[in-house]
Amino acid sequence: MNNARFAISLHILTLLEKAKGELMSSDYIAGSVNINPVLVRKELITLRNHGFVGSKEGKNGGSFLAKPANTITLDQVYVAVRQNNLLGTSKNEPNPHCAVGKQVSQHLKALYDDTEQVLINELSKKTLADFSDQFD
């Protein structure tokens, strides 16, 4: 779900950037992303809590981009919505009596942390405006 959240959030933010301040309903956004509006609203709450999105309540309400797209870096979005390790984790506890099993978790954590940091560093080089500019 972590990877899906980033993709969904980036889709939402790109739609809002393209709207240039016009309010967008969660139903409209959901139609573009092709997911349930409830999931869109959950992501909008997260994005609002991190200062990326604003909203207006009511019948003619909706969401809008709360800050300029050129000030939002993709690493900020990724960090805001990530939940789990990028590469996942094992559901089984390794055997603590095995030479590998007793150490594998700590070495995987270090590997995952290093790998995720490379991703975050690359994402920090791109803004929402850069991403949005790829669309007609």
Side-chain angles (χ1 to χ4, degrees):
M1 184 61 175
N2 187 40
N3 291 340
R5 288 193 69 201
F6 178 70
I8 291 166
S9 293
L10 195 52
H11 191 143
I12 291 168
L13 291 170
T14 302
L15 283 171
L16 296 178
E17 193 281 328
K18 292 295 186 190
K20 304 294 183 205
E22 294 292 320
L23 296 176
M24 289 195 133
S25 71
S26 56
D27 288 336
Y28 178 86
I29 295 169
S32 178
V33 181
N34 199 23
I35 61 172
N36 189 300
V38 172
L39 295 175
V40 168
R41 286 190 280 277
K42 286 181 181 179
E43 291 307 318
L44 285 168
I45 290 168
T46 298
L47 295 170
R48 186 175 60 226
N49 289 342
H50 283 86
F52 302 125
V53 171
S55 61
K56 180 182 174 203
E57 302 294 325
K59 183 178 178 185
N60 295 318
S63 297
F64 58 91
L65 201 58
K67 51 201 268 191
N70 65 353
T71 67
I72 300 171
T73 56
L74 300 188
D75 66 308
Q76 293 170 329
V77 177
Y78 175 79
V79 169
V81 301
R82 76 175 172 196
Q83 291 181 316
N84 301 314
N85 287 324
L86 177 65
L87 300 174
T89 57
S90 174
K91 293 181 181 180
N92 301 325
E93 281 294 319
N95 182 345
H97 302 293
C98 170
V100 172
K102 68 181 175 184
Q103 297 179 44
V104 72
S105 293
Q106 71 191 44
H107 294 299
L108 282 173
K109 181 180 179 336
L111 175 65
Y112 290 1
D113 289 348
D114 292 347
T115 303
E116 188 172 44
Q117 194 56 54
V118 170
L119 171 67
I120 290 170
N121 289 342
E122 285 302 308
L123 290 173
S124 74
K125 297 174 187 176
K126 303 267 190 216
T127 66
L128 176 60
D130 297 329
F131 187 78
S132 181
D133 285 347
Q134 298 176 98
F135 300 86
D136 297 331

